[in-house]
């Protein structure tokens, strides 16, 4: 295996394989293979080789790894996190080795490396000749890519449901993604972003002054991966709603939600890998939901509750809670969501996904939910 | 003051410490009764379906303390520093309970143990004692008395296992979280069944936890959870002295969903039976599986001899 050059891969997570691939190719100077877009087959393949009742993201990632390795990848990246995610790597490795694959794993969990320096060292092992300055140089472009994707998608969620020409938003979005894959510099990304936003703003829409507004909250992976959540955002938006979602890589990893610069600086200075990825937001969000929660409840649960409270207080018409089946931190948030729902009188649709979830089932529930909240809104307005 | 302690989850790890600690401080402790049908039913009503059986039982036990105590003790125990983390459920329990029981008269007594965020257990318990009106000296004394009682209990369990391992007959290591092992509705009937089949059940928590955690890396290196590490360690320490392993899991336990898979893939020379429990009535299915498992072990032994 040492004879073959390294070829890295990271599982599908929305469209974030674009910045991650860029980081690997331009930063580390290594080959990168994007896993093929997820299909039903990917999930079935992953589920077949995973423990029965492990959470769905494990199975999705398993399917992605297998498909990417069939395409030529030989180093798989795993990131770790504060929940079960922290143990994905070792088990993925064992199962894939038992299947006979020849590969290495870049397993960026704390249990393996201890701290940030250890993790950086672990990454560097794969590109020993690369200078740190060469790696650092691409970081601003990677960050810009992530932020552009998040902002473009945010605009889509809020407006695509009111387009006059069916598919007009989708068309520009697809063009944006394909151009982003070819971007080389921060300037390329910036220009592409502005061009895309300009094209969006020129599209004819008929948005009412007070549209139905829906907030999406929930588990880190399932909420960010449209394939895993059966495109719940698009489904609801297209029924005629403004869909809001705070959770994305920009908000969870890159920028602090603190209001003033000093707090922000303090949060960055305290960046704590042991609480990744919640480190930069968990404390400030916790302050905002004191009446419900006094402590960090683990992983993404505090963000779920804080955003639910924020949307409810802003007069949203409904919330959709998205998670994979068995996700412990998100299950733990549910008693609090019950109380928020009762206090603000806001309906919440709870969706729990596993690898068997049927598209029709999700569609039916989303439709019924949308009908209910839009009727409630009409009743209140008249 | 009357302090209620739910007989579930980490009670089976820290219960002796908690009771001694509060009693030394001059408080009365009230334990919820052993798990029974009412507790299970109540717990299932309070909880969402997806939670593990052990958590449902916990809520049933908390509900059983309503009106029986001034405060119900539900600490947040996030991790033990380098020894590892707990399942994130144990970070969330106090806030879950305060939200679930918000409209009842039940008051929650909290403690926050999180060495990763610089709050080691000792500091958390001393702070709690002083909140309850104790002086620093009293708090210190109660903490030490609690620790001593806890250590004594550990030693007793280790001694018991040593004696059991010397016994004749088929020895089965029963591997599960202590809150499953000793619960009337989860582990206890299984342990009894093993005994009825003329085999010797050996509980996985009868090991020195520190030694077990360091031994666990010989099976799997990067397991983040304290209890899972100790279970792996117990397997590693006893694997040459036992004839079989029974894994008991409360569906859909997060850590077990992955660690059990690892155990099955990496332990090859000992037969393993994996029992997945959900809230159910009757143990006939499980008894049948246990019976055939013990039969296979017996048959293997005869062939080897």
């Amino acid at each position: 295996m040492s004879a073959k050059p390294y070829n890295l891969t990271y599982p599908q997570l929305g469209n974030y394989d674009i910045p991650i691939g860029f980081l690997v190719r331009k930063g580390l100077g290594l080959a990168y293979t994007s896993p093929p877009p997820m299909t039903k087959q990917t999930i079935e393949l992953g589920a077949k080789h995973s423990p029965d009742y492990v959470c769905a993201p494990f199975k999705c990632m398993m399917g992605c790894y297998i498909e990417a390795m069939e395409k030529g990848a030989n180093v798989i990246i795993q990131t770790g996190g504060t929940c079960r995610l922290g143990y994905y790597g070792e088990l993925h490795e064992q199962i894939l080795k038992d299947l006979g694959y020849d590969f290495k794993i870049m397993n960026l969990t704390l249990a393996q490396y201890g701290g940030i320096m250890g993790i950086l060292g672990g990454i560097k092992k794969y590109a020993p000749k690369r200078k740190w300055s060469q790696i650092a140089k691409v970081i601003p472009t990677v960050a810009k890519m992530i932020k552009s994707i998040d902002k473009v998608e945010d605009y889509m969620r809020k407006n695509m449901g009111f387009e006059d020409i069916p598919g007009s938003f989708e068309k520009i979005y697809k063009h944006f993604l394909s151009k982003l894959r070819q971007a080389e510099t921060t300037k390329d990304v910036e220009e592409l972003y502005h061009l895309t936003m300009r094209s969006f703003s020129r599209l004819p829409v008929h948005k009412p002054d007070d549209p139905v507004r829906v907030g999406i909250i929930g588990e880190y992976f399932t909420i960010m991966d449209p394939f895993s959540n059966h495109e719940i955002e698009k489904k609801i938006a297209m029924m005629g709603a403004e869909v809001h979602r705070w959770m994305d890589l920009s908000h969870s990893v890159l920028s602090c939600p603190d209001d003033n610069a000093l707090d922000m600086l303090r949060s960055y200075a305290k960046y704590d890998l042991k609480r990744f990825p919640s480190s930069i937001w968990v404390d400030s969000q916790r302050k905002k939901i004191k009446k419900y929660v006094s402590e960090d409840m683990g992983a993404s649960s505090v963000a779920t509750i804080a955003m639910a409270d924020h949307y409810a207080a802003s007069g949203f018409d409904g919330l959709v809670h998205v998670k994979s089946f068995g996700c412990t931190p998100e299950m733990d948030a549910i008693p609090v969501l019950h109380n928020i729902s009762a206090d603000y009188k806001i309906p919440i649709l709870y969706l729990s996904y596993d690898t068997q979830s049927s598209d029709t089932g999700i569609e039916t529930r989303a439709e019924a939910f949308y009908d209910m909240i839009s009727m409630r809104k009409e009743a209140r307005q008249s | 003051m009357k302090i209620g302690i739910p007989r579930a989850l980490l009670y089976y790890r820290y219960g002796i410490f908690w009771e001694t600690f509060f009693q030394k401080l001059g408080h009365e402790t009230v334990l919820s009764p052993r798990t029974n049908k009412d507790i299970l039913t109540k717990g299932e009503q309070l909880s969402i379906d997806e939670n593990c059986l052990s958590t449902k039982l916990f809520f049933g036990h908390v509900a059983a303390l309503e009106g029986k105590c001034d405060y119900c003790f539900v600490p947040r125990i996030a991790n033990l520093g380098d020894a590892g983390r707990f399942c994130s459920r144990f970070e969330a329990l106090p806030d879950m309970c305060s939200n679930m029981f918000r409209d009842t008269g039940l008051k929650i007594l909290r403690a926050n143990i999180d060495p990763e965020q610089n709050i080691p257990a000792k500091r958390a318990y001393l702070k709690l004692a002083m909140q309850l009106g104790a002086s620093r000296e009293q708090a210190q004394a109660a903490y030490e008395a609690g620790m001593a009682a806890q250590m004594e209990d550990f030693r007793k369990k280790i001694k018991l296992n040593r004696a059991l391992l010397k016994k004749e007959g088929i020895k089965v290591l029963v591997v599960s979280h202590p809150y499953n092992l000793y619960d009337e509705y989860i582990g206890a009937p299984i342990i009894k069944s093993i005994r009825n089949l003329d085999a010797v059940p050996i509980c996985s928590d009868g090991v020195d936890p520190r030694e077990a955690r360091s031994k666990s890396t010989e099976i799997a290196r990067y397991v983040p959870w304290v209890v899972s590490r100790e279970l792996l360690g117990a397997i590693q320490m006893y694997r040459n002295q036992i004839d079989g392993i029974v894994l008991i899991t409360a569906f859909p336990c997060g850590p077990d969903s992955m660690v059990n898979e690892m155990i099955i893939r990496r332990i090859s020379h000992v037969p393993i039976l994996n029992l997945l429990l959900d809230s159910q009535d009757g143990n006939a299915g499980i008894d049948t599986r246990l019976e055939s498992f013990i039969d296979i072990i017996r048959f293997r032994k005869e062939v080897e001899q």
Side-chain angles (χ1 to χ4, degrees):
Chain A
M1 146 120 205
S2 56
K4 262 190 274 171
Y6 291 136
N7 187 332
L8 278 63
T9 191
Y10 183 75
Q12 288 288 353
L13 171 62
N15 293 300
Y16 294 127
D17 67 305
I18 301 175
I20 291 166
F22 187 84
L23 179 66
V24 171
R25 280 185 285 108
K26 304 282 170 179
L28 298 176
L30 295 169
Y32 180 84
T33 300
S34 278
M38 267 200 255
T39 61
K40 224 161 167 77
Q41 236 177 342
T42 317
I43 309 266
E44 272 165 25
L45 191 63
K48 188 175 150 198
H49 298 295
S50 302
D52 273 348
Y53 59 104
V54 74
C55 38
F58 184 94
K59 301 175 185 174
C60 297
M61 289 186 182
M62 181 66 92
C64 287
Y65 285 142
I66 294 176
E67 288 184 343
M69 284 198 279
E70 296 293 343
K71 266 177 75 184
N74 58 24
V75 178
I76 64 174
I77 306 174
Q78 182 48 260
T79 47
T82 46
C83 56
R84 241 186 284 193
L85 196 52
Y87 193 54
Y88 274 18
E90 195 175 29
L91 190 57
H92 273 137
E93 185 182 11
Q94 176 72 34
I95 294 174
L96 291 167
K97 290 250 151 95
D98 286 350
L99 284 171
Y101 287 100
D102 184 16
F103 66 99
K104 289 196 173 192
I105 178 165
M106 186 193 273
N107 187 4
L108 306 176
T109 52
L110 276 180
Q112 182 161 0
Y113 293 116
I116 181 81
M117 293 323 281
I119 287 182
L120 290 176
I123 296 173
K124 187 81 171 15
K125 263 201 323 218
Y126 290 89
K129 291 202 188 107
R130 210 70 177 167
K131 288 199 198 84
W132 279 115
S133 59
Q134 282 174 299
I135 300 172
K137 227 172 84 184
V138 303
I139 301 285
T141 317
V142 172
K144 192 83 212 165
M145 281 180 164
I146 293 175
K147 286 194 166 175
S148 303
I149 293 177
D150 290 341
K151 280 188 187 148
V152 165
E153 291 183 354
D154 186 60
Y155 190 88
M156 291 247 304
R157 280 191 290 269
K158 288 175 183 161
N159 296 290
M160 70 189 299
F162 309 100
E163 63 189 1
D164 286 337
I165 310 157
S168 54
F169 274 88
E170 195 75 22
K171 204 173 147 198
I172 294 173
Y173 177 61
K174 287 223 167 97
H175 180 77
F176 163 76
L177 288 179
S178 74
K179 284 281 174 211
L180 192 64
R181 284 183 196 279
Q182 296 156 18
E184 296 280 326
T185 60
T186 314
K187 202 165 151 253
D188 290 352
V189 181
E190 255 163 21
E191 277 170 9
L192 177 62
Y193 168 70
H194 290 300
L195 183 75
T196 308
M197 292 308 265
R198 255 204 315 277
S199 317
F200 273 163
S201 65
R202 284 196 199 117
L203 288 176
V205 287
H206 58 279
K207 194 169 170 179
D209 292 336
D210 182 17
V212 171
R213 286 184 301 164
V214 176
I216 310 267
I217 49 177
E219 172 240 313
Y220 205 57
F221 181 92
T222 307
I223 199 173
M224 285 199 267
D225 187 58
F227 188 81
S228 298
N229 63 36
H230 293 249
E231 298 191 311
I232 185 70
E233 295 167 347
K234 197 174 145 193
K235 280 194 172 84
I236 293 178
M238 293 318 268
M239 292 170 197
E242 194 180 284
V243 176
H244 290 239
R245 187 228 304 162
W246 174 84
M247 179 60 82
D248 55 28
L249 279 194
S250 307
H251 285 125
S252 67
V253 189
L254 295 177
S255 44
C256 285
D258 290 300
D259 300 328
N260 66 60
L262 198 69
D263 282 346
M264 220 150 112
L265 217 69
R266 207 174 288 141
S267 292
Y268 280 125
K270 282 197 306 195
Y271 205 99
D272 183 359
L273 277 180
K274 287 183 179 143
R275 293 205 277 179
F276 178 85
S278 67
S279 169
I280 53 172
W281 34 268
V282 72
D283 288 329
S284 71
Q285 286 192 335
R286 237 178 46 201
K287 272 181 226 152
K288 292 177 186 153
I289 48 168
K290 256 192 205 144
K291 63 177 163 166
Y292 292 110
V293 167
S294 359
E295 268 132 6
D296 182 358
M297 294 171 73
S300 51
S301 52
V302 167
T304 297
I305 296 163
M307 292 324 290
D309 183 68
H310 169 75
Y311 293 141
S314 321
F316 275 48
D317 301 289
L319 299 174
V320 180
H321 183 236
V322 166
K323 73 170 186 4
S324 56
F325 173 83
C327 172
T328 312
E330 288 301 327
M331 284 199 273
D332 294 351
I334 288 178
V336 190
L337 295 180
H338 286 327
N339 284 346
I340 290 177
S341 174
D343 293 351
Y344 291 98
K345 304 202 170 28
I346 183 169
I348 304 181
L349 173 66
Y350 296 95
L351 293 176
S352 193
Y353 295 86
D354 65 14
T355 47
Q356 321 265 315
S357 298
S358 91
D359 206 51
T360 339
I362 305 281
E363 176 97 40
T364 313
R365 295 184 61 192
E367 241 172 53
F369 183 72
Y370 177 81
D371 288 348
M372 187 261 288
I373 57 173
S374 54
M375 276 191 262
R376 263 180 109 232
K377 195 177 184 76
E378 269 171 40
R380 234 180 343 195
Q381 279 166 343
S382 58
Chain B
M1 202 163 72
K2 264 194 196 170
I3 296 172
I5 299 176
R7 194 195 291 262
L9 296 182
L10 290 182
Y11 164 77
Y12 288 103
R13 186 183 175 96
Y14 295 121
I16 291 180
F17 171 84
W18 291 339
E19 287 183 86
T20 317
F21 176 73
F22 287 125
Q23 283 164 11
K24 269 274 161 191
L25 291 170
H27 300 293
E28 191 184 330
T29 52
V30 189
L31 259 184
S32 56
R34 293 190 170 278
T35 302
N36 53 42
K37 187 83 198 156
D38 290 344
I39 287 179
L40 174 64
T41 313
K42 185 76 191 163
E44 282 179 326
Q45 281 167 1
L46 283 166
S47 165
I48 58 164
D49 281 346
E50 262 175 77
N51 277 328
C52 66
L53 179 55
S54 326
T55 304
K56 291 176 184 165
L57 289 176
F58 181 83
F59 296 138
H61 279 276
V62 174
L65 289 165
E66 266 183 73
K68 305 242 164 64
C69 57
D70 301 312
Y71 281 97
C72 178
F73 181 55
V74 185
R76 171 182 187 264
I77 305 185
N79 56 73
L80 295 184
D82 289 339
R85 288 165 187 263
F86 283 95
C87 164
S88 67
R89 168 86 14 102
F90 298 114
E91 293 185 54
L93 282 179
D95 284 317
M96 285 176 92
C97 287
S98 66
N99 275 280
M100 289 167 72
F101 294 91
R102 171 171 89 155
D103 302 324
T104 70
L106 190 83
K107 281 185 279 186
I108 308 286
L109 181 65
R110 292 161 176 262
N112 181 16
I113 296 162
D114 193 342
E116 274 181 9
Q117 301 300 321
N118 282 324
I119 318 171
K122 186 171 179 183
R123 193 193 302 168
Y125 284 118
L126 293 191
K127 191 176 154 199
L128 172 65
M130 287 188 281
Q131 269 171 12
L132 294 172
S135 69
R136 180 159 269 284
E137 291 71 35
Q138 285 166 328
Q140 185 83 24
Y143 179 79
E144 272 157 22
M147 284 308 273
Q150 185 82 58
M151 294 318 265
E152 183 52 37
D153 185 56
F154 267 130
R155 274 194 290 272
K156 237 193 265 166
K157 280 182 181 155
I158 297 170
K159 226 169 119 188
L160 174 71
N161 272 6
R162 285 213 185 105
L164 288 174
L165 284 166
K166 285 197 192 107
K167 275 196 171 178
E168 289 295 309
I170 291 169
K171 288 181 280 280
V172 178
L173 184 65
V174 188
V175 179
S176 188
H177 295 252
Y179 51 74
N180 293 336
L181 275 180
Y182 300 110
D183 190 275
E184 239 67 358
Y185 264 67
I186 309 180
I190 294 173
I191 291 176
K192 205 169 133 202
S193 297
I194 296 176
R195 234 177 249 134
N196 288 344
L197 292 161
D198 284 328
V200 183
I202 294 162
C203 290
S204 56
D205 67 334
V207 285
D208 175 25
R210 199 174 299 226
E211 189 186 349
R213 290 194 294 262
S214 86
K215 285 272 184 210
S216 74
T217 55
E218 290 167 29
I219 300 179
R221 282 178 66 192
Y222 305 126
V223 176
W225 304 288
V226 182
V227 183
S228 301
R229 286 179 184 175
E230 290 167 7
L231 299 180
L232 285 169
I235 294 177
Q236 183 64 10
M237 287 158 75
Y238 290 142
R239 63 195 282 183
N240 295 320
Q241 306 169 60
I242 50 170
D243 304 297
I245 297 173
V246 173
L247 306 172
I248 307 174
T249 296
F251 178 82
C253 173
D256 285 2
S257 71
M258 306 177 77
V259 176
N260 284 5
E261 180 75 18
M262 208 60 173
I263 293 173
I264 290 164
R265 282 173 186 266
R266 291 202 172 165
I267 305 287
S268 50
H269 72 287
V270 191
I272 300 177
L273 176 66
N274 190 7
L275 295 177
L276 199 56
L277 297 191
D278 204 343
S279 31
Q280 58 203 353
D281 290 315
N283 273 333
I286 284 179
D287 281 345
T288 316
R289 293 183 63 194
L290 277 172
E291 211 177 309
S292 67
F293 181 66
I294 304 280
D295 277 350
I296 290 168
I297 295 177
R298 204 162 268 147
F299 183 68
R300 259 173 67 132
K301 272 195 130 176
E302 276 166 21
V303 171
E304 275 166 20
Q305 279 162 4

